[in-house]
């Protein structure tokens, strides 16, 4: 389980991308005061914070299978209803929410179609179901340089390109298979600035997600080879990384 890490490690590795993405993703949801929202795969709360800001803590529910993330988000937002659990088995009655969002989660679901079906079930008819996944397949995601360096060193490494929703159009296909209606695909892009190479590299050593898991199982020599290759592929510091995510908005 690659999300059994501290909220701080997540913030350093992925939060720097997912927090600005959450601002744009929340905008896309066109939520209004009075709406009840569910954040599926909330992590330590990057998107939850946006929902709380727009709707108030009482109107927000969040769920995630990672114990450290559930503990962190409960400490951060004591008034938000936070549950441990997975998208595929949401512990809520039908039609409980006006919107259900999953930011950077569908590709980690064991069964993405049933996860999206569950999101639709707990959303009232006509309510919004939305999801986004980094463009890992098209090389537009935040980890593109990392996986390119890995594949230069180890062409058989799996990477994240084949995960659900990571290629153009696949999120919409999954939504269609889940029976969602009025499916609208789009994409979002964020830019993150790094002042030094170490600022970019160190978070990969914290064991977060598939990339972190890949680095932590390398011996020191292989890790050095990978770090050197990444440094060769990146521009000289300071530099900016643009990260794009495939998104879909649909109706339950
Ligand atoms: C990349 S993080 C995204 C966290 C947060 N939404 C964000 O944008 O920062 C992926 C999250 O999905 C959670 N996750 C993994 N499998 C899941 C599943 N089947 N259902 C719901 N969440 C899941 C992980 O625990 C992790 O918190």
């Amino acid at each position: 389980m690659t999300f059994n890490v501290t909220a701080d490690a997540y913030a350093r590795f992925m939060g720097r991308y997912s927090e600005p993405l959450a601002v744009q993703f929340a905008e896309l949801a066109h939520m209004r005061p009075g709406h009840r929202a569910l954040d599926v795969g909330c992590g330590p709360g990057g998107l939850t914070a946006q929902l709380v800001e727009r709707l108030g803590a009482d109107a927000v529910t969040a769920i995630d299978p990672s114990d450290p993330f559930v503990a962190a988000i409960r400490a951060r937002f004591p008034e938000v209803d936070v549950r441990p659990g997975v998208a595929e088995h949401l512990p809520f009655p039908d039609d409980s929410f006006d919107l259900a969002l999953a930011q950077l989660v569908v590709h980690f679901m064991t069964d993405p179609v049933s996860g999206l079906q569950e999101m639709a079930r707990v959303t009232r008819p006509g309510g919004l179901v939305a999801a986004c996944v980094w463009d890992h397949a098209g090389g537009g995601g935040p980890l593109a340089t990392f996986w390119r360096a890995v594949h230069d060193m180890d062409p058989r490494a799996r990477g994240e390109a084949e995960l659900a929703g990571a290629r153009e159009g696949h999120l919409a296909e999954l939504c269609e298979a889940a029976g969602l209606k009025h499916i609208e695909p789009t994409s979002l892009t964020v830019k993150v600035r790094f002042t030094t190479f170490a600022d970019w590299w160190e978070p990969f050593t914290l064991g977060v997600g598939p990339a972190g898991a890949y680095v932590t199982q390398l011996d020191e020599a292989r890790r050095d080879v990978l770090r050197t290759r990444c440094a060769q592929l990146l521009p000289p510091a300071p530099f900016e990384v643009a990260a794009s995510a495939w998104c879909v908005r649909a109706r339950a």
Side-chain angles (χ1 to χ4, degrees):
M1 143 66 138
T2 50
F3 291 102
N4 192 12
V5 294
T6 65
D8 181 57
Y10 183 82
R12 288 177 59 199
F13 176 69
M14 187 47 67
R16 61 203 308 171
Y17 299 99
S18 76
E19 286 181 16
L21 182 70
V23 177
Q24 296 186 27
F25 190 48
E27 284 298 312
L28 207 79
H30 297 313
M31 65 195 89
R32 293 196 308 271
H35 279 165
R36 300 151 301 160
L38 174 64
D39 184 358
V40 175
C42 57
L47 176 63
T48 320
Q50 295 301 318
L51 301 177
V52 168
E53 193 178 304
R54 288 164 168 78
L55 303 175
D58 289 350
V60 177
T61 301
I63 184 163
D64 198 283
S66 159
D67 291 337
F69 290 173
V70 167
I73 193 173
R74 281 183 172 152
R76 184 173 174 191
F77 300 111
E79 283 155 27
V80 169
D81 177 4
V82 183
R83 311 282 184 94
V86 293
E88 294 88 338
H89 304 284
L90 293 174
F92 309 108
D94 297 359
D95 309 342
S96 298
F97 304 99
D98 298 289
L99 55 146
L101 308 180
Q103 174 172 287
L104 309 177
V105 180
V106 169
H107 51 322
F108 296 118
M109 293 181 189
T110 312
D111 183 344
V113 171
S114 74
L116 289 163
Q117 275 169 340
E118 275 288 90
M119 289 172 68
R121 179 186 65 75
V122 302
T123 303
R124 66 163 167 79
L128 182 82
V129 174
C132 61
V133 171
W134 293 125
D135 171 25
H136 290 304
L143 311 179
T145 302
F146 171 82
W147 286 118
R148 192 177 149 202
V150 168
H151 288 132
D152 286 350
M153 184 177 95
D154 174 6
R156 286 178 309 170
R158 280 188 76 184
E160 296 178 70
E162 287 172 16
L163 296 180
R167 66 175 192 272
E168 186 169 14
H170 195 224
L171 267 183
E173 286 172 33
L174 294 168
C175 287
E176 207 165 317
L180 288 159
K181 305 179 187 88
H182 306 294
I183 299 163
E184 296 171 59
T186 181
S187 66
L188 298 172
T189 299
V190 296
K191 288 185 178 164
V192 177
R193 187 176 164 79
F194 294 85
T195 49
T196 63
F197 172 73
D199 183 27
W200 181 90
W201 168 256
E202 291 305 328
F204 283 94
T205 66
L206 302 175
V208 186
Y214 184 85
V215 172
T216 49
Q217 54 82 41
L218 293 175
D219 62 28
E220 209 169 311
R222 301 271 290 165
R223 206 185 277 203
D224 280 349
V225 171
L226 179 58
R227 189 183 51 216
T228 302
R229 183 66 187 132
C230 288
Q232 286 167 348
L233 292 174
L234 284 165
F239 57 86
E240 207 171 57
V241 175
S244 296
W246 304 119
C247 287
V248 80
R249 287 165 41 98
R251 296 283 158 193

